[in-house]
Amino acid sequence: MTNSRDNAIGIALLFFVALCWGFVASTVKQLTATVDPYTISFFRVFLGVLVFAAVFALRKGSWRRIRWLLPWVILGALGRAGNYLLYNAGLVQAPTNAVAILAPVQTISMAILAKWIIGEGIGRKWVGLVISVGGLILIWWNGQALSTLLAPEHFWGNALLALAGVSSAVQFCSQKVLSSRFSSLEILIPVFALSSAITFPFAWNAGGFSRSYSAGTWALLLFLGLVITGGSFMALGEGYRRCSASTAVVITDSTIFMTLMISRYVLHESVSAMMVLGAVLGLLGTVAIVWAERHQVRQQSAAAQPGQAAST
């Protein structure tokens, strides 16, 4: 576990990521009016890797340290490409607030992977985890009848978004596992480059490269790829390096609050009282998780200090 100061920096970076990701659903929704989901997915990862490569070059990083064919790099690329392809395809078939199903699936998947692969226990954070997941499920459910949720026009969108959550958890786990050996950019460059190669055939087959787009569409694509994706994933990589996986995924799930705000005031979609309650519970769960993480880090730092003093 990192020290208290680094942990606080990691938490701040993850909240920045959550803020950025709040704009994803609305931006993708606007783009799907003129750009197919597969082409959007390609440009997200392709523009993202351009950001990572440019920053890596400016920092004079060693390209020899980039490992393209490590199992966790390949799994991370499959997870990230799968997340974008499934997310964008699912969002077309569902209202923006339906993206809430991704978050609890992603959180539960990440908690399982963190325990099974990384060996991270949840400890006191289970209370915040349950509150957060409960709030996210409330947002997704929104008081709808089971027959409505299982109706074809909603079912496939929800199913794709749920699978996108699992795919995202795989990529997050990859980031966490590799962070002990490589820098954030040394992980992100091969993962997003391979994701670009995976999504390219889908975009090509959809005819995404044969169409002409307006300046406004290109501006949205650049914003989505360079800022929301490239900028946020650099912060995400550093956040995962400094925080436990379960804390990181719950903090980034707080993006649902921003998503609901944009859904209501930008896209003019309905936001019910139950969804607001779910968002509040999600935020309370996030606060509980952060408190438990900070408490754990302080305890570990205090326990380490006597040993450090004795060795000097």
Side-chain angles (χ1 to χ4, degrees):
M1 177 67 71
T2 186
N3 63 47
S4 182
R5 180 176 177 276
D6 278 350
N7 180 253
I9 292 172
I11 288 171
L13 288 170
L14 291 166
F15 274 114
F16 169 75
V17 172
L19 177 64
C20 288
W21 287 358
F23 293 93
V24 170
S26 60
T27 304
V28 171
K29 272 285 190 181
Q30 292 177 73
L31 281 170
T32 51
T34 52
V35 188
D36 68 270
Y38 302 117
T39 302
I40 295 171
S41 301
F42 169 76
F43 276 113
R44 283 198 73 178
V45 288
F46 177 71
L47 293 171
V49 80
L50 292 183
V51 173
F52 307 145
V55 174
F56 191 68
L58 288 172
R59 292 180 179 177
K60 302 187 185 302
S62 173
W63 293 96
R64 292 181 179 180
R65 283 188 50 80
I66 303 294
R67 297 291 184 267
W68 299 94
L69 299 178
L70 289 177
W72 275 109
V73 167
I74 296 172
L75 283 172
L78 290 170
R80 183 48 44 204
N83 172 255
Y84 285 168
L85 291 170
L86 294 165
Y87 176 90
N88 293 339
L91 197 58
V92 173
Q93 303 179 47
T96 304
N97 59 271
V99 73
I101 188 60
L102 185 151
V105 172
Q106 175 179 273
T107 303
I108 294 168
S109 300
M110 189 65 207
I112 293 171
L113 289 172
K115 179 65 176 177
W116 177 41
I117 295 172
I118 306 172
E120 277 189 5
I122 296 175
R124 294 183 178 183
K125 289 180 283 189
W126 71 268
V127 176
L129 189 66
V130 169
I131 294 172
S132 178
V133 170
L136 294 168
I137 291 175
L138 270 183
I139 295 171
W140 169 71
W141 173 47
N142 195 25
Q144 301 173 90
L146 184 62
S147 58
T148 301
L149 294 173
L150 296 179
E153 63 269 24
H154 293 102
F155 176 79
W156 289 112
N158 285 321
L160 290 171
L161 289 168
L163 289 173
V166 177
S167 296
S168 185
V170 171
Q171 193 267 317
F172 291 162
C173 188
S174 163
Q175 185 78 30
K176 184 66 178 177
V177 170
L178 293 171
S179 65
S180 62
R181 299 170 54 192
F182 304 98
S183 71
S184 298
L185 290 174
E186 289 168 351
I187 301 167
L188 292 169
I189 288 172
V191 165
F192 273 68
L194 291 175
S195 294
S196 299
I198 293 168
T199 54
F200 179 82
F202 291 90
W204 180 275
N205 188 59
F209 303 121
S210 60
R211 302 188 188 98
S212 59
Y213 302 115
S214 67
T217 298
W218 277 113
L220 282 175
L221 280 170
L222 290 171
F223 175 65
L224 181 65
L226 299 177
V227 180
I228 295 180
T229 302
S232 70
F233 268 88
M234 286 179 60
L236 182 78
E238 292 302 318
Y240 263 89
R241 185 182 300 280
R242 293 171 166 85
C243 298
S244 66
S246 56
T247 297
V249 73
V250 170
I251 292 176
T252 54
D253 281 347
S254 66
T255 188
I256 194 65
F257 185 78
M258 179 64 73
T259 299
L260 288 180
M261 294 289 290
I262 295 172
S263 176
R264 174 66 181 87
Y265 294 107
V266 177
L267 300 180
H268 306 294
E269 296 182 343
S270 61
V271 176
S272 68
M274 184 172 292
M275 294 168 68
V276 173
L277 174 62
V280 171
L281 287 175
L283 289 174
L284 288 174
T286 302
V287 171
I289 284 274
V290 170
W291 178 85
E293 171 100 355
R294 297 293 295 154
H295 180 73
Q296 182 181 359
V297 169
R298 290 192 189 98
Q299 282 189 324
Q300 292 179 345
S301 297
Q305 283 177 358
Q308 292 174 351
S311 63
T312 55

